[in-house]
Amino acid sequence: MGRPGSPPQAVTRCPLWGLPEELLLLICSYLDARALGRLGQTCRRLCRFTSRDVLWRRLARSCLNAGFSALGTDLVEGVPVKERVKVSQNWRRGRCQRRLLLKWKRNLMPWMQLDSEYLYLSQAEDIQAYWLRPNRTGLQRCPQAVFSGHQEDVCRFVLSNGHIVSGGGDGNIALHKLNSSFSFKFLAHEQEVNCVDCQGGIIVSGSRDRTAKVWSLSPGRAGQCLHTIQTEDRVWSIAICPLSSSFVTGTACCGHTSPLRIWDLGSGQLLTCLGTDFHRGAGVLDIFYETPSTLLSCGYDTYIRYWDLRTSTRECVKKWEEPHDSALYCIRSNGNHMIASGSSYYGVVRLWDKRQNRCLQSFSLSSPVSSPVYCLCFSTTHLYATLASALHVLDFTT
């Protein structure tokens, strides 16, 4: 005891920082996002400690669209994981700021692709490249580059190995090199080229003329047709497997065969049909490969279907129905938990969590005037959607 009249001495406690760092990391690994955030508010030292990526990576892998693959690979290096976990809560709760980025006078069916710095947008016969401002706060109003070559509207295009490969209503396929003036085109189909994909020096295309074709891009053989496949139905969508061993076609489903069929890329032979429960007219409008063995499809029958080729080709492993019974024009996935889809009416964009059976969030971008969502792309912070006369963005960083 101290002398009479002297102030009481502070009770000696073992500080948290007296623990070994490995033990402190272990303790923090049991905390959820809210508890970890509150711990960081207690002092500056703990604020710095609890901001480490290693503590948030476990939480981020189970979050919605936090930039991690299903195997735990970090797909967005350079951005603190803690910040991505915060933004992921906005995706889940539907908290975002909506903005109109571009508007044009006549109705079109625009397609879009997104890379790290540019947004590529088809408008009638041209494809325009718009520079994305830092932090994705907007885009430069005037395009940085314009890629021409088609006599009629561009139907779809893809970015592949520094090139733009596009299919048009004129039946042509055009190829443009992004960083030079090099380009060439060739007549590919008798009718419009509804869909294209490109990978590993190979182009696949599908057309209203009821054929799918495989084309070479090898030096000296560029534009040479390797295989012509009679699909007996109009081809609306096409996608090459990530292993470049096969490709899948989505057709109009006007006959008695499945609208989803997988073909060998080397021989052009049919490998398998997907599904047995498609009704007549259930055309497949978009296909998205997540891995070599898993893919998503959507179309006129109002369902998103998730296929795992390792388990079964007769039935999808899971499916989600559009709540308002609308056709689904486009679909994208982050390769982990989140799916985004675009509907045929009122510019409705929906977010889905694969772990749930119902739609997570929805946004109507064209009310009261109805328009389909023709294409959508998203990053960990923004979602872009093209409608008949406008380009919209949802900013989830707010």
Side-chain angles (χ1 to χ4, degrees):
M1 294 181 63
R3 292 177 295 176
S6 62
Q9 297 180 357
V11 179
T12 303
R13 297 177 182 270
C14 179
L16 190 61
W17 286 109
L19 297 174
E21 183 174 301
E22 294 79 5
L23 184 56
L24 192 54
L25 287 171
L26 178 62
I27 293 172
C28 291
S29 70
Y30 289 95
L31 303 180
D32 60 17
R34 177 175 294 183
L36 194 58
R38 287 177 174 174
L39 179 61
Q41 294 174 343
T42 57
C43 70
R44 292 180 181 178
R45 193 174 178 185
L46 277 175
C47 180
R48 291 191 297 269
F49 182 82
T50 58
S51 295
R52 293 186 181 186
D53 283 354
V54 67
L55 290 173
W56 291 92
R57 190 170 286 113
R58 173 186 58 85
L59 300 171
R61 289 183 61 179
S62 62
C63 287
L64 198 71
N65 196 28
F68 284 83
S69 70
L71 298 176
T73 305
D74 192 343
L75 305 175
V76 191
E77 296 182 357
V79 181
V81 181
K82 179 180 178 180
E83 297 304 315
R84 285 184 263 162
V85 171
K86 288 181 180 179
V87 175
S88 74
Q89 301 305 310
N90 293 337
W91 287 91
R92 177 167 295 281
R93 296 166 184 166
R95 295 190 304 218
C96 63
Q97 182 180 357
R98 309 183 190 190
R99 293 199 303 273
L100 182 66
L101 292 182
L102 291 174
K103 191 171 177 62
W104 43 91
K105 293 183 179 179
R106 62 189 179 109
N107 288 345
L108 301 171
M109 298 175 64
W111 195 251
M112 174 178 53
Q113 294 282 285
L114 190 67
D115 71 5
S116 58
E117 296 183 354
Y118 291 92
L119 184 147
Y120 297 85
L121 178 69
S122 67
Q123 293 186 294
E125 304 90 352
D126 300 327
I127 299 171
Q128 300 180 353
Y130 293 91
W131 179 67
L132 292 167
R133 293 173 183 167
N135 300 322
R136 305 295 178 98
T137 54
L139 52 79
Q140 195 173 30
R141 303 294 294 183
C142 296
Q144 292 284 99
V146 177
F147 303 93
S148 304
H150 291 283
Q151 301 301 314
E152 296 185 27
D153 288 4
V154 174
C155 296
R156 291 195 182 182
F157 68 93
V158 294
L159 302 178
S160 177
N161 195 27
H163 294 80
I164 295 180
V165 180
S166 59
D170 54 4
N172 288 321
I173 290 176
L175 184 142
H176 301 272
K177 196 168 184 178
L178 292 177
N179 297 320
S180 76
S181 58
F182 172 79
S183 66
F184 79 94
K185 69 176 181 178
F186 55 90
L187 183 62
H189 291 270
E190 296 177 358
Q191 299 184 43
E192 58 260 44
V193 181
N194 290 324
C195 49
V196 292
D197 199 6
C198 180
Q199 190 172 294
I202 293 291
I203 297 174
V204 293
S205 61
S207 171
R208 182 183 284 270
D209 66 8
R210 302 187 179 191
T211 65
K213 296 186 179 183
V214 181
W215 307 88
S216 173
L217 283 181
S218 301
R221 302 179 64 191
Q224 179 181 342
C225 183
L226 303 178
H227 307 292
T228 298
I229 299 168
Q230 301 296 330
T231 61
E232 301 179 356
D233 211 345
R234 292 165 291 176
V235 184
W236 294 132
S237 54
I238 202 163
I240 300 177
C241 169
L243 294 179
S244 299
S245 58
S246 62
F247 68 97
V248 59
T249 54
T251 57
C253 200
C254 293
H256 300 288
T257 58
S258 168
L260 275 172
R261 284 172 282 177
I262 298 179
W263 312 83
D264 182 75
L265 200 57
S267 65
Q269 297 298 310
L270 178 65
L271 295 178
T272 187
C273 297
L274 298 183
T276 58
D277 61 341
F278 291 97
H279 59 78
R280 187 178 178 85
V284 176
L285 296 177
D286 203 7
I287 304 165
F288 185 86
Y289 265 104
E290 287 194 329
T291 70
S293 56
T294 58
L295 65 148
L296 294 155
S297 66
C298 69
Y300 284 120
D301 70 345
T302 76
Y303 281 96
I304 298 171
R305 287 180 167 84
Y306 183 58
W307 305 89
D308 190 334
L309 307 182
R310 297 166 298 186
T311 59
S312 173
T313 58
R314 293 182 58 83
E315 294 183 359
C316 60
V317 293
K318 194 166 185 178
K319 62 182 179 180
W320 301 266
E321 185 176 12
E322 213 285 338
H324 292 165
D325 201 33
S326 300
L328 294 168
Y329 272 47
C330 54
I331 188 171
R332 285 295 178 270
S333 164
N334 69 342
N336 198 354
H337 301 305
M338 197 181 88
I339 302 170
S341 65
S343 302
S344 58
Y345 295 112
Y346 296 105
V348 174
V349 172
R350 298 191 188 276
L351 304 182
W352 309 78
D353 188 334
K354 290 182 189 175
R355 298 163 293 187
Q356 300 182 12
N357 296 322
R358 295 184 179 181
C359 169
L360 186 65
Q361 297 291 342
S362 64
F363 310 89
S364 180
L365 302 180
S366 70
S367 181
V369 180
S370 182
S371 166
V373 178
Y374 289 109
C375 185
L376 55 80
C377 297
F378 62 85
S379 64
T380 55
T381 55
H382 295 75
L383 184 146
Y384 302 87
T386 58
L387 278 63
S389 60
L391 168 65
H392 295 259
V393 62
L394 303 179
D395 181 354
F396 289 88
T397 62
T398 54

